[in-house]
């Protein structure tokens, strides 16, 4: 149930030293639910600072080989006696706040730690003893501070003068405390045995515990199998689960309302109860996750939905200058980029952030193959640029228009030329093209006379003949 001190645990807490443990000078193992100190003095000989507060350590052990240790924090643990610190030669500060130290005479073991300057014992039963401070000041002459308060010379002299009477008081109070602790331990042991006996009886009372055939249980099982009304069975199961939840909540409330003394045993019991509740909650959450239906991203009729499971802030801008959409998604600043997946589609964009879906429908169609995604170096936001499809279509139309215009111009020019050629006269002298035959003998050339063509006189009997008096007669 509780974590042991393992090499993997130490390496995970040694990232500041590149996970190298043999040269570690500072190690923090607080709030790790450690019950026993082990292996640290073998694996981390160069430790100077060791944090072990808020654990379940019941005994100081396996630290005597840490010769370079200067600061040891064991606050909020289950320690009942100061011991096994003689080998920590360089120890200058020891914090034992809020433990269960009742044997105040055990501070004498710290006389060998000649460099010890600060000691914290507040919150321990011994700190309530009459004459506690005088006893510690006299027995630890090297101390400069006790419970955060400086020890003055006059206080030390006065404590030495009253020491014989103070020592006797401390012994009597220690004896009374030890008797009380032994009584508490016996009561706790008896209570645990009774709880174990009740739990055993409850398990024995359940059918099938002794591996024998129970006709009643079999009959009930067969009847439930043969029952056709599944809805009633489900309702009964739900009622039973609700009843179990109520019983558990009542038990939890009764546990926290039950009066108990502050002892190492009660602290362990509380932590075990919290651990049990946590495991039960994890099982319930796992069941809920299994039952939970997958989120709908696209409806049956093909409609894409907007989804923001990670609840991230975002902004979508229409960049008319570059003819594109720009999506600014406020992902976690120090999150690794490998945990982000981007999928750009023509009508929507989908981003997976640590398994949580962000989906946004776009107001216009975009080009996925030309889209880009990058992280901002200042804010860590994810910026996705998606060019519009209209950019390519518009450019194509413009080009086609220009091509058409040139074609039209060329056609017009050819038409004009053909029209001009049709209107040209047959006379070679007025022909625009040079006569190849006359190039060489240009000087000797004499224009040829055109052969006289017979005059065509229209016949009045011709049906197409129209005698117009305005037209002059042919010569």
């Amino acid at each position: 149930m509780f974590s042991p001190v393992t090499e993997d645990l130490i390496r995970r807490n040694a990232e500041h030293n590149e996970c190298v443990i043999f040269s570690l000078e500072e190690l923090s193992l607080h709030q790790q639910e450690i019950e026993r100190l082990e292996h640290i003095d073998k694996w981390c000989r160069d430790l100077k600072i060791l944090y072990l507060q808020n654990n379940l350590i019941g005994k100081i052990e396996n630290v005597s080989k840490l010769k370079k240790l200067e600061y040891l924090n064991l606050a909020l643990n289950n320690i009942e006696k100061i011991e096994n610190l003689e080998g920590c030669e360089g120890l200058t500060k020891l914090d034992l706040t809020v433990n269960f130290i009742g044997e105040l005479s055990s501070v004498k073991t710290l006389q060998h730690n000649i460099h010890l300057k600060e000691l914290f014992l507040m919150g321990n039963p011994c700190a309530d003893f009459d004459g506690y401070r005088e006893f510690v000041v006299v027995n630890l002459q090297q101390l400069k501070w006790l419970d955060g308060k400086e020890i003055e010379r006059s206080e030390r002299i006065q404590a030495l003068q009253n020491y014989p009477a103070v020592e006797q008081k401390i012994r009597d109070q220690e004896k009374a405390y030890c008797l009380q602790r032994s009584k508490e331990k016996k009561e706790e042991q008896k209570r645990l045995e009774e709880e174990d006996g009740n739990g055993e009886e409850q398990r024995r009372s359940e059918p099938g515990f002794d591996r024998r055939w129970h006709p009643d249980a079999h009959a009930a099982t067969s009847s439930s199998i043969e029952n056709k009304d599944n809805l009633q069975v489900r309702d009964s199961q739900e009622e039973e689960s609700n009843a179990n939840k109520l019983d558990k909540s009542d038990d939890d409330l009764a546990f926290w309302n039950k009066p108990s003394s502050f002892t190492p045993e009660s602290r362990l019991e509380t932590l075990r109860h919290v651990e049990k509740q946590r495991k039960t909650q994890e099982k319930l959450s796992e069941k809920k996750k299994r039952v939970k239906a997958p989120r709908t991203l696209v409806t049956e009729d093909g409609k894409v939905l907007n989804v923001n499971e990670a609840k991230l802030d975002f902004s979508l801008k229409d960049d008319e200058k570059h003819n594109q959409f720009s999506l600014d998604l406020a992902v976690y600043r120090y999150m690794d980029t490998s945990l982000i997946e981007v999928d750009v589609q023509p009508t929507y964009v989908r981003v997976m952030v640590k398994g949580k879906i962000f989906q946004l429908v776009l107001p216009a169609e975009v080009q996925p193959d030309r889209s880009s995604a990058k992280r901002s170096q200042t804010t860590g936001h994810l910026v996705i640029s998606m060019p519009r499809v209209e950019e390519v279509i518009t450019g194509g139309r413009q080009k086609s228009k220009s091509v058409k215009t040139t074609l039209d111009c060329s056609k017009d020019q050819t038409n004009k030329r053909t029209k001009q050629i049709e209107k040209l006269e047959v006379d070679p002298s007025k022909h625009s093209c040079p006569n190849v035959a006359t190039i060489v003998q240009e000087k000797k050339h004499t224009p040829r006379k055109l052969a006289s063509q017979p005059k065509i006189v229209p016949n009045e009997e011709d049906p197409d003949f129209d005698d117009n008096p305005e037209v002059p007669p042919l010569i």
Side-chain angles (χ1 to χ4, degrees):
M1 180 182 292
F2 302 108
S3 322
V5 178
T6 61
E7 184 177 348
D8 181 60
L9 177 65
I10 296 176
R11 286 192 189 280
R12 279 190 281 112
N13 289 274
E15 294 179 353
H16 59 283
N17 199 43
E18 298 180 353
C19 297
V20 179
I21 62 174
F22 73 90
S23 61
L24 264 182
E25 294 186 356
E26 182 176 341
L27 179 61
S28 179
L29 295 176
H30 64 283
Q31 296 181 348
Q32 297 290 337
E33 297 183 354
I34 300 170
E35 275 193 295
R36 186 183 176 189
L37 279 176
E38 51 189 355
H39 308 307
I40 296 178
D41 59 338
K42 298 177 183 177
W43 296 339
C44 311
R45 291 287 185 90
D46 293 337
L47 273 181
K48 293 183 179 180
I49 301 173
L50 180 56
Y51 296 101
L52 291 165
Q53 67 268 27
N54 203 358
N55 282 291
L56 303 169
I57 300 168
K59 185 180 180 180
I60 304 174
E61 56 185 344
N62 298 322
V63 292
S64 59
K65 294 181 182 179
L66 301 176
K67 306 295 182 182
K68 300 179 182 179
L69 189 64
E70 298 176 1
Y71 175 34
L72 177 60
N73 191 332
L74 285 165
L76 294 165
N77 279 281
N78 294 345
I79 297 169
E80 298 189 59
K81 185 179 180 181
I82 303 174
E83 55 187 342
N84 300 324
L85 291 173
E86 297 87 350
C88 301
E89 299 172 356
L91 190 64
T92 59
K93 184 177 179 180
L94 177 61
D95 193 345
L96 293 167
T97 306
V98 191
N99 276 275
F100 299 92
I101 299 172
E103 297 183 31
L104 187 57
S105 57
S106 62
V107 297
K108 293 180 180 180
T109 59
L110 297 175
Q111 291 175 351
H112 302 281
N113 304 96
I114 57 175
H115 299 289
L116 185 64
K117 304 299 179 185
E118 293 183 68
L119 177 64
F120 292 88
L121 288 171
M122 62 180 71
N124 286 275
C126 65
D128 297 330
F129 290 175
D130 188 15
Y132 145 76
R133 189 172 176 87
E134 292 86 348
F135 184 85
V136 176
V137 167
V138 171
N139 284 283
L140 300 177
Q141 295 289 325
Q142 73 273 29
L143 272 187
K144 301 294 182 183
W145 298 80
L146 178 60
D147 293 335
K149 185 179 178 181
E150 188 177 2
I151 301 172
E152 297 180 358
R153 185 179 179 185
S154 58
E155 182 183 2
R156 198 180 297 277
I157 293 171
Q158 189 175 359
L160 284 168
Q161 292 174 352
N162 301 329
Y163 183 69
V166 169
E167 186 180 15
Q168 186 60 39
K169 286 181 182 179
I170 295 296
R171 286 180 180 175
D172 295 340
Q173 292 174 88
E174 270 188 5
K175 188 176 180 180
Y177 176 78
C178 290
L179 289 173
Q180 182 185 352
R181 277 293 297 139
S182 61
K183 185 179 177 181
E184 288 174 354
K185 288 179 181 179
K186 288 179 181 178
E187 289 178 355
E188 184 67 21
Q189 186 67 25
K190 186 178 178 181
R191 188 184 64 79
L192 289 174
E193 289 176 358
E194 288 178 357
E195 287 183 358
D196 292 341
N198 293 334
E200 189 71 19
E201 289 178 2
Q202 186 176 359
R203 286 194 298 271
R204 287 180 181 277
S205 63
E206 295 177 358
F209 174 79
D210 53 357
R211 297 182 181 179
R212 293 182 181 180
W213 184 260
H214 291 264
D216 297 337
H218 175 66
T221 307
S222 60
S223 63
S224 63
I225 294 172
E226 294 173 358
N227 190 3
K228 296 180 180 179
D229 194 0
N230 294 326
L231 294 174
Q232 292 181 358
V233 174
R234 291 178 183 175
D235 292 341
S236 62
Q237 289 177 353
E238 289 178 1
E239 289 176 0
E240 288 177 2
S241 63
N242 292 332
N244 291 332
K245 287 180 182 178
L246 289 172
D247 292 341
K248 289 179 181 179
S249 62
D250 292 340
D251 293 341
D252 186 54
L253 190 62
F255 175 82
W256 293 112
N257 290 333
K258 180 180 66 176
S260 62
S261 56
F262 184 63
T263 61
E265 293 79 17
S266 65
R267 190 163 180 260
L268 284 171
E269 183 185 6
T270 302
L271 289 171
R272 288 192 180 99
H273 180 77
V274 172
E275 182 71 14
K276 185 179 178 181
Q277 293 293 323
R278 186 180 64 81
K279 288 183 177 180
T280 305
Q281 194 66 28
E282 285 179 356
K283 289 180 180 179
L284 291 173
S285 61
E286 286 178 2
K287 289 180 181 179
K288 288 180 180 178
K289 285 180 182 179
R290 291 173 186 173
V291 175
K292 188 178 179 181
R295 182 179 287 276
T296 304
L297 300 177
V298 182
T299 58
E300 295 180 356
D301 56 352
K303 182 182 179 182
V304 182
L305 303 177
N306 291 327
V307 180
N308 191 358
E309 285 185 345
K311 298 180 180 179
L312 299 172
D313 295 332
F314 68 94
S315 64
L316 182 66
K317 296 180 181 178
D318 188 359
D319 189 355
E320 295 180 355
K321 183 178 179 181
H322 299 91
N323 197 24
Q324 66 180 9
F325 292 112
S326 179
L327 175 63
D328 189 328
L329 188 61
V331 297
Y332 313 114
R333 182 171 186 177
Y334 299 105
M335 188 180 68
D336 192 356
T337 310
S338 61
L339 299 173
I340 304 174
E341 297 179 9
V342 181
D343 181 18
V344 179
Q345 296 295 330
T347 57
Y348 67 92
V349 58
R350 183 183 299 167
V351 183
M352 294 281 287
V353 182
K354 293 181 70 175
K356 295 183 178 180
I357 300 173
F358 173 87
Q359 183 170 283
L360 183 65
V361 180
L362 301 173
E365 193 172 350
V366 298
Q367 304 178 66
D369 55 341
R370 292 185 59 192
S371 301
S372 63
K374 61 182 180 179
R375 294 285 296 275
S376 173
Q377 295 182 354
T378 54
T379 62
H381 289 192
L382 179 68
V383 181
I384 306 174
S385 301
M386 299 166 284
R388 290 170 175 262
V389 174
E390 295 175 358
E391 182 182 0
V392 176
I393 296 172
T394 305
R397 286 176 181 173
Q398 289 175 355
K399 289 180 181 177
S400 62
K401 283 181 181 179
S402 62
V403 171
K404 287 180 181 179
T405 307
T406 53
L407 289 172
D408 293 338
C409 292
S410 62
K411 285 182 180 179
D412 293 338
Q413 290 177 0
T414 52
N415 291 333
K416 288 179 181 178
R417 287 178 183 175
T418 53
K419 289 177 182 179
Q420 290 174 0
I421 291 169
E422 288 176 356
K423 291 180 180 181
L424 285 176
E425 297 180 1
V426 184
D427 189 357
S429 61
K430 297 181 180 180
H431 202 279
S432 61
C433 296
N435 191 354
V436 180
T438 60
I439 291 176
V440 179
Q441 300 176 356
E442 186 175 356
K443 294 181 180 179
K444 297 180 181 181
H445 174 71
T446 56
R448 292 184 299 172
K449 293 182 178 180
L450 293 172
S452 59
Q453 295 180 356
K455 297 179 181 179
I456 300 172
V457 180
N459 191 2
E460 294 178 358
E461 296 179 358
D462 192 356
D464 295 330
F465 177 75
D466 186 10
D467 189 8
N468 191 353
E470 295 179 2
V471 176
L474 293 174
I475 300 172

